[in-house]
Structures are given as structure tokens and as C-alpha cells.
Amino acid sequence: MTRHDSLKPAAHRSLGRRSLLGLLGATPVAIGGAWALSGSAEAIGATGTTGAKPSPPGPGSSSVPVDLRPGGTFDQFLAQLAAADKFSGTMLVVHGGRTVLTRSFGMANKAKSIPNTIDTVYCLASVTKLFTAVAIAQLVQQGKLEYEGTLGTYVDGFPSAAADHVTIHQLLTHTAGMGDYHALDGYMTAAADWNSAQQVLSGTMDFIRKAPLDFTPGTGHQYSNSAYTVLGAIVQQVSGQSYYDYIPQHVFVPAGMTASAFHTRPQWQSDRRIAHPYADQSPGQPSGPRTDVVDQELFIGLPDGNAFATAPDMVRFARALLNGTLLDPAYIDLVVGAKVPAATLPAKPGLPAKAIYEAYGPGATLRNGKWAVGHNGGNAGIATLVEWYPSDWIAVKLTNYDPPETMAVDDKIQGILTQ
């Protein structure tokens, strides 16, 4: 599902990634059972390349679409974008336990001449919401939460319009009536002074509590960063652990995500492993100057965005979600199954029609009669995607350039794997 942050500077992120159609009614669709995986996450051992010549197809390459083979049209497309300085980051495509294509281009840190590689750690932007959604499902599985439970059951301080009527289901599916805390008056000014994880989460929640709902819960659809931050606060309250402790312990570690974390801004600035975000400061120009905007970010990410991971770690996460490592089978189905219609995109020349749904965290796109499920994210100097498809395919795109420059990558890989 394609959803991106606005392209305002990071310190001024505003309303949702894009405007989707209003809620069309809840239509649960059971698709989780299609995601049984056979490969091992530890089979991901490919070495990233930075503009290198493609390697020849490996054993079993006959099962790989021609367009996805090294040197194929997708590989050429990435190389062309990189040559035009429109792609800086890592692309990883796996089938079963085998890496089909891995490419890295551009610089993680231009000032220090550090290139992007398969081991580069990237800011994930809204892909982080997947971790929060899994944490919620784990607590539901344990009987500590209910999807139809109301907000006021789990956290205090909300007015009755929200506390008594907003449900976990609505928070997960962007139908609660909440918007984007970044756009609230005074938020970015206050957030600039926060220098601890606790300050960032509690301070953001204070702003969200005071914001009125944009519509009656359950009667509309609006992509909401605020809703997912609230979900993270619920995880913290119900589990008795800091959100920043819960996710590493219950998601990253069991999934084998050894390079994943919630890094602070000072760590982002200084750690050579982490890609800096380079934003185009003059949109619309043929090749505007790119500026490192890491200094404009919050002290630490929140449950709605800005955890960090490598591309192989994101494949490990997808496998752990789908193979039962993180959740029991019934709860996997609940998380990845389409629930709320969000948009129908008509066919265009060369592009088939797509129906887009909200699941419990991921977005689910029905294209050519096949499901593509996952999440993307974007902000100034950040564009990300993790998506999985039938027949054991997973694609991960992590970049440190602006979203519009790489959105065509998302559509192209989805089109190939849903043919």
C-alpha cells in the first residue's frame, strides 16, 4: 500500500502521506493463509553492490521473472535512477530463502564519503508502524487487549468523545478520526527541547490528547500518525514496559533483527553505519541541491515512525511475522488480512486497477487478482518499503532520498510480482 509522509522538511511534517478515499465500509478479507514461507531468514547473505555489474542468474533462476533477474529491466531501471542521482539506498528482493537481487547505490554519508551497502542502517519512517501493530497483536493474543476495546480502557487523559468511542480496531485501520501530531500548533517547537525517549513519547501524547477528532470514529478514513503513537502508548501501558524496551525484546530479538533499533538523533548523526537523509531543498528543479536534514529530526522516533533497520533485517521481520515466530497463525491472519477499503485506483496506460485496503498495520493491495501486503514510509530524505507477495516473495527498498524520486520503484516491483 502506498502511503508517504509529506515532503516538507522533517521538522515540519504535516498531514498524512496522501489523501485516500473515505471509508467505504468494513469488509474483512481472509488473506493471511497465503503467506506460508519456506525459506530461512538466515539464508539472506548477499553482498550489496554499489553500481556493480549484475551477477549471472543462479540455480533455480527459471522460477524468477525475467524482469527481476540480474541485468533485467528492473535492475536496469534501478541503475538508471542511480545514474541520474534519483536513487540512493538499497534494494533487496528475495524468493524463498534465496536472494534474487540486491543493489546498493549512493552515499550513506556524503560528508564522510561512506557508501550505502547491504549492511547500511536506514531510517524506516512509517514502516515502523508494522512493529507497533505486531506488538498490539501479541498483547491481544495474550488476552491483555481487545481489538474492539475502547481507548479509555487502556490509557487515561482523553476526552470522552475519544476515550469512550475510539477502538483499537479504528486506531489500527486509520478510522479513529485522529490526524497527524506533527501538524498540531506548537508541537515542533516543544519537541525541539525534548532529549529523552520518555519526553518524546509522553510529550507527543499530551498534544494528541488535546487535539479534537476530525470525524466521528468509524465514519471516515484518514491516515494517522497520531493513532499509531497512541497504539504505542497502549503497548507501554498494558505491557508494563517502555515501548522502546518492548519492541526490541518482543519483535527485533525473536525475529533475528540484530541491526535494528530506535536510535537517537545524536546516534544518527555520529554512527557511521546509519544513512543520513538527503532532502531536495528545491522541489521541481531538474537537479536541486540535496541537504542533510538529520538535524531536523526528533530526538528519537515514535511508534508511528523512525525506527532503524537494514534491508536484510526487514526481510527477517517479514519472515518472522509470516512464519509464526512473532504470532500464532490466527493472529497472523488478523494482522495481514484486509479489513477496511481505503481506495480504488483506476487502470492507467500500462498500469492495472488496484484496490487498496487497510489491514491491522500493513496495507493490502489487490492487483491482478493477487495480494501485495506491507507498508511504505517517507519523509524528507527518507523513502522505504517492505512488501510481501504470494509464492514466497519479499521486496525491501530502503533509501535516503525523497519519496517521489523512488515511488516508481515500488509500483514496478509490485507490478512484476503480481502479474
PDB file of all heavy atoms in Angstrom, residues 293-312:
ATOM      1  N   VAL A 293      19.406  16.492   6.351  1.00  0.00           N
ATOM      2  CA  VAL A 293      18.409  17.069   7.249  1.00  0.00           C
ATOM      3  C   VAL A 293      18.281  16.291   8.556  1.00  0.00           C
ATOM      4  O   VAL A 293      17.270  16.413   9.256  1.00  0.00           O
ATOM      5  CB  VAL A 293      17.029  17.166   6.552  1.00  0.00           C
ATOM      6  CG1 VAL A 293      17.070  18.168   5.411  1.00  0.00           C
ATOM      7  CG2 VAL A 293      16.558  15.806   6.050  1.00  0.00           C
ATOM      8  N   VAL A 294      19.293  15.532   8.921  1.00  0.00           N
ATOM      9  CA  VAL A 294      19.205  14.748  10.153  1.00  0.00           C
ATOM     10  C   VAL A 294      19.026  15.647  11.372  1.00  0.00           C
ATOM     11  O   VAL A 294      18.360  15.271  12.343  1.00  0.00           O
ATOM     12  CB  VAL A 294      20.443  13.832  10.310  1.00  0.00           C
ATOM     13  CG1 VAL A 294      21.708  14.644  10.528  1.00  0.00           C
ATOM     14  CG2 VAL A 294      20.245  12.837  11.449  1.00  0.00           C
ATOM     15  N   ASP A 295      19.572  16.856  11.340  1.00  0.00           N
ATOM     16  CA  ASP A 295      19.454  17.759  12.484  1.00  0.00           C
ATOM     17  C   ASP A 295      18.023  18.220  12.719  1.00  0.00           C
ATOM     18  O   ASP A 295      17.709  18.732  13.796  1.00  0.00           O
ATOM     19  CB  ASP A 295      20.347  18.981  12.286  1.00  0.00           C
ATOM     20  CG  ASP A 295      21.829  18.641  12.300  1.00  0.00           C
ATOM     21  OD1 ASP A 295      22.170  17.514  12.730  1.00  0.00           O
ATOM     22  OD2 ASP A 295      22.640  19.481  11.885  1.00  0.00           O
ATOM     23  N   GLN A 296      17.144  18.030  11.751  1.00  0.00           N
ATOM     24  CA  GLN A 296      15.764  18.467  11.883  1.00  0.00           C
ATOM     25  C   GLN A 296      14.856  17.397  12.484  1.00  0.00           C
ATOM     26  O   GLN A 296      13.672  17.642  12.721  1.00  0.00           O
ATOM     27  CB  GLN A 296      15.216  18.880  10.512  1.00  0.00           C
ATOM     28  CG  GLN A 296      15.973  20.027   9.866  1.00  0.00           C
ATOM     29  CD  GLN A 296      15.441  20.363   8.485  1.00  0.00           C
ATOM     30  OE1 GLN A 296      14.283  20.106   8.173  1.00  0.00           O
ATOM     31  NE2 GLN A 296      16.284  20.936   7.640  1.00  0.00           N
ATOM     32  N   GLU A 297      15.390  16.214  12.723  1.00  0.00           N
ATOM     33  CA  GLU A 297      14.575  15.120  13.237  1.00  0.00           C
ATOM     34  C   GLU A 297      14.369  15.233  14.745  1.00  0.00           C
ATOM     35  O   GLU A 297      15.124  15.923  15.450  1.00  0.00           O
ATOM     36  CB  GLU A 297      15.235  13.774  12.903  1.00  0.00           C
ATOM     37  CG  GLU A 297      15.267  13.446  11.424  1.00  0.00           C
ATOM     38  CD  GLU A 297      13.890  13.137  10.848  1.00  0.00           C
ATOM     39  OE1 GLU A 297      12.945  12.915  11.640  1.00  0.00           O
ATOM     40  OE2 GLU A 297      13.761  13.104   9.613  1.00  0.00           O
ATOM     41  N   LEU A 298      13.345  14.523  15.271  1.00  0.00           N
ATOM     42  CA  LEU A 298      13.116  14.445  16.706  1.00  0.00           C
ATOM     43  C   LEU A 298      14.284  13.717  17.381  1.00  0.00           C
ATOM     44  O   LEU A 298      15.082  13.038  16.732  1.00  0.00           O
ATOM     45  CB  LEU A 298      11.823  13.699  17.003  1.00  0.00           C
ATOM     46  CG  LEU A 298      10.516  14.289  16.480  1.00  0.00           C
ATOM     47  CD1 LEU A 298       9.340  13.424  16.906  1.00  0.00           C
ATOM     48  CD2 LEU A 298      10.331  15.725  16.951  1.00  0.00           C
ATOM     49  N   PHE A 299      14.352  13.836  18.694  1.00  0.00           N
ATOM     50  CA  PHE A 299      15.428  13.185  19.440  1.00  0.00           C
ATOM     51  C   PHE A 299      15.419  11.674  19.205  1.00  0.00           C
ATOM     52  O   PHE A 299      16.472  11.041  19.112  1.00  0.00           O
ATOM     53  CB  PHE A 299      15.280  13.477  20.934  1.00  0.00           C
ATOM     54  CG  PHE A 299      16.281  12.748  21.786  1.00  0.00           C
ATOM     55  CD1 PHE A 299      17.592  13.187  21.877  1.00  0.00           C
ATOM     56  CD2 PHE A 299      15.916  11.604  22.486  1.00  0.00           C
ATOM     57  CE1 PHE A 299      18.521  12.506  22.652  1.00  0.00           C
ATOM     58  CE2 PHE A 299      16.834  10.911  23.260  1.00  0.00           C
ATOM     59  CZ  PHE A 299      18.147  11.373  23.340  1.00  0.00           C
ATOM     60  N   ILE A 300      14.236  11.089  19.084  1.00  0.00           N
ATOM     61  CA  ILE A 300      14.093   9.655  18.832  1.00  0.00           C
ATOM     62  C   ILE A 300      12.765   9.442  18.119  1.00  0.00           C
ATOM     63  O   ILE A 300      11.852  10.270  18.216  1.00  0.00           O
ATOM     64  CB  ILE A 300      14.149   8.844  20.154  1.00  0.00           C
ATOM     65  CG1 ILE A 300      14.405   7.350  19.888  1.00  0.00           C
ATOM     66  CG2 ILE A 300      12.879   9.051  20.982  1.00  0.00           C
ATOM     67  CD1 ILE A 300      14.734   6.557  21.152  1.00  0.00           C
ATOM     68  N   GLY A 301      12.656   8.356  17.396  1.00  0.00           N
ATOM     69  CA  GLY A 301      11.423   8.048  16.702  1.00  0.00           C
ATOM     70  C   GLY A 301      10.302   7.680  17.657  1.00  0.00           C
ATOM     71  O   GLY A 301      10.492   7.547  18.871  1.00  0.00           O
ATOM     72  N   LEU A 302       9.121   7.499  17.094  1.00  0.00           N
ATOM     73  CA  LEU A 302       7.922   7.191  17.868  1.00  0.00           C
ATOM     74  C   LEU A 302       7.262   5.933  17.311  1.00  0.00           C
ATOM     75  O   LEU A 302       7.712   5.393  16.291  1.00  0.00           O
ATOM     76  CB  LEU A 302       6.966   8.389  17.801  1.00  0.00           C
ATOM     77  CG  LEU A 302       7.315   9.550  18.736  1.00  0.00           C
ATOM     78  CD1 LEU A 302       6.709  10.857  18.247  1.00  0.00           C
ATOM     79  CD2 LEU A 302       6.849   9.250  20.163  1.00  0.00           C
ATOM     80  N   PRO A 303       6.212   5.436  17.954  1.00  0.00           N
ATOM     81  CA  PRO A 303       5.561   4.216  17.460  1.00  0.00           C
ATOM     82  C   PRO A 303       5.002   4.321  16.047  1.00  0.00           C
ATOM     83  O   PRO A 303       4.699   3.296  15.430  1.00  0.00           O
ATOM     84  CB  PRO A 303       4.439   3.995  18.484  1.00  0.00           C
ATOM     85  CG  PRO A 303       4.960   4.618  19.742  1.00  0.00           C
ATOM     86  CD  PRO A 303       5.699   5.826  19.287  1.00  0.00           C
ATOM     87  N   ASP A 304       4.863   5.525  15.519  1.00  0.00           N
ATOM     88  CA  ASP A 304       4.379   5.690  14.151  1.00  0.00           C
ATOM     89  C   ASP A 304       5.511   5.798  13.143  1.00  0.00           C
ATOM     90  O   ASP A 304       5.272   5.696  11.941  1.00  0.00           O
ATOM     91  CB  ASP A 304       3.520   6.952  14.041  1.00  0.00           C
ATOM     92  CG  ASP A 304       4.352   8.214  14.177  1.00  0.00           C
ATOM     93  OD1 ASP A 304       4.831   8.499  15.284  1.00  0.00           O
ATOM     94  OD2 ASP A 304       4.549   8.922  13.176  1.00  0.00           O
ATOM     95  N   GLY A 305       6.763   6.004  13.593  1.00  0.00           N
ATOM     96  CA  GLY A 305       7.814   6.184  12.603  1.00  0.00           C
ATOM     97  C   GLY A 305       9.205   6.367  13.170  1.00  0.00           C
ATOM     98  O   GLY A 305       9.390   6.744  14.327  1.00  0.00           O
ATOM     99  N   ASN A 306      10.199   6.061  12.297  1.00  0.00           N
ATOM    100  CA  ASN A 306      11.615   6.351  12.534  1.00  0.00           C
ATOM    101  C   ASN A 306      12.344   5.384  13.461  1.00  0.00           C
ATOM    102  O   ASN A 306      13.256   5.777  14.190  1.00  0.00           O
ATOM    103  CB  ASN A 306      11.825   7.789  12.981  1.00  0.00           C
ATOM    104  CG  ASN A 306      11.682   8.770  11.829  1.00  0.00           C
ATOM    105  OD1 ASN A 306      11.081   8.446  10.802  1.00  0.00           O
ATOM    106  ND2 ASN A 306      12.232   9.960  11.981  1.00  0.00           N
ATOM    107  N   ALA A 307      11.964   4.103  13.426  1.00  0.00           N
ATOM    108  CA  ALA A 307      12.886   3.067  13.869  1.00  0.00           C
ATOM    109  C   ALA A 307      13.931   2.903  12.767  1.00  0.00           C
ATOM    110  O   ALA A 307      13.825   3.485  11.680  1.00  0.00           O
ATOM    111  CB  ALA A 307      12.156   1.759  14.125  1.00  0.00           C
ATOM    112  N   PHE A 308      14.955   2.074  13.012  1.00  0.00           N
ATOM    113  CA  PHE A 308      16.049   1.884  12.067  1.00  0.00           C
ATOM    114  C   PHE A 308      16.291   0.395  11.841  1.00  0.00           C
ATOM    115  O   PHE A 308      16.158  -0.415  12.766  1.00  0.00           O
ATOM    116  CB  PHE A 308      17.342   2.511  12.602  1.00  0.00           C
ATOM    117  CG  PHE A 308      17.314   4.011  12.677  1.00  0.00           C
ATOM    118  CD1 PHE A 308      16.675   4.658  13.724  1.00  0.00           C
ATOM    119  CD2 PHE A 308      17.922   4.782  11.700  1.00  0.00           C
ATOM    120  CE1 PHE A 308      16.643   6.038  13.805  1.00  0.00           C
ATOM    121  CE2 PHE A 308      17.897   6.169  11.767  1.00  0.00           C
ATOM    122  CZ  PHE A 308      17.257   6.802  12.826  1.00  0.00           C
ATOM    123  N   ALA A 309      16.683   0.049  10.599  1.00  0.00           N
ATOM    124  CA  ALA A 309      16.985  -1.353  10.282  1.00  0.00           C
ATOM    125  C   ALA A 309      17.774  -1.419   8.984  1.00  0.00           C
ATOM    126  O   ALA A 309      17.816  -0.456   8.208  1.00  0.00           O
ATOM    127  CB  ALA A 309      15.704  -2.174  10.158  1.00  0.00           C
ATOM    128  N   THR A 310      18.357  -2.564   8.738  1.00  0.00           N
ATOM    129  CA  THR A 310      18.963  -2.864   7.443  1.00  0.00           C
ATOM    130  C   THR A 310      17.938  -3.573   6.569  1.00  0.00           C
ATOM    131  O   THR A 310      16.908  -4.061   7.050  1.00  0.00           O
ATOM    132  CB  THR A 310      20.179  -3.775   7.607  1.00  0.00           C
ATOM    133  OG1 THR A 310      19.742  -5.024   8.177  1.00  0.00           O
ATOM    134  CG2 THR A 310      21.237  -3.155   8.505  1.00  0.00           C
ATOM    135  N   ALA A 311      18.231  -3.672   5.282  1.00  0.00           N
ATOM    136  CA  ALA A 311      17.332  -4.394   4.378  1.00  0.00           C
ATOM    137  C   ALA A 311      17.219  -5.874   4.747  1.00  0.00           C
ATOM    138  O   ALA A 311      16.103  -6.412   4.797  1.00  0.00           O
ATOM    139  CB  ALA A 311      17.784  -4.216   2.928  1.00  0.00           C
ATOM    140  N   PRO A 312      18.329  -6.590   5.026  1.00  0.00           N
ATOM    141  CA  PRO A 312      18.178  -7.984   5.444  1.00  0.00           C
ATOM    142  C   PRO A 312      17.357  -8.139   6.716  1.00  0.00           C
ATOM    143  O   PRO A 312      16.598  -9.104   6.857  1.00  0.00           O
ATOM    144  CB  PRO A 312      19.624  -8.439   5.648  1.00  0.00           C
ATOM    145  CG  PRO A 312      20.429  -7.582   4.730  1.00  0.00           C
ATOM    146  CD  PRO A 312      19.758  -6.246   4.799  1.00  0.00           C
TER     147      PRO A 312
END
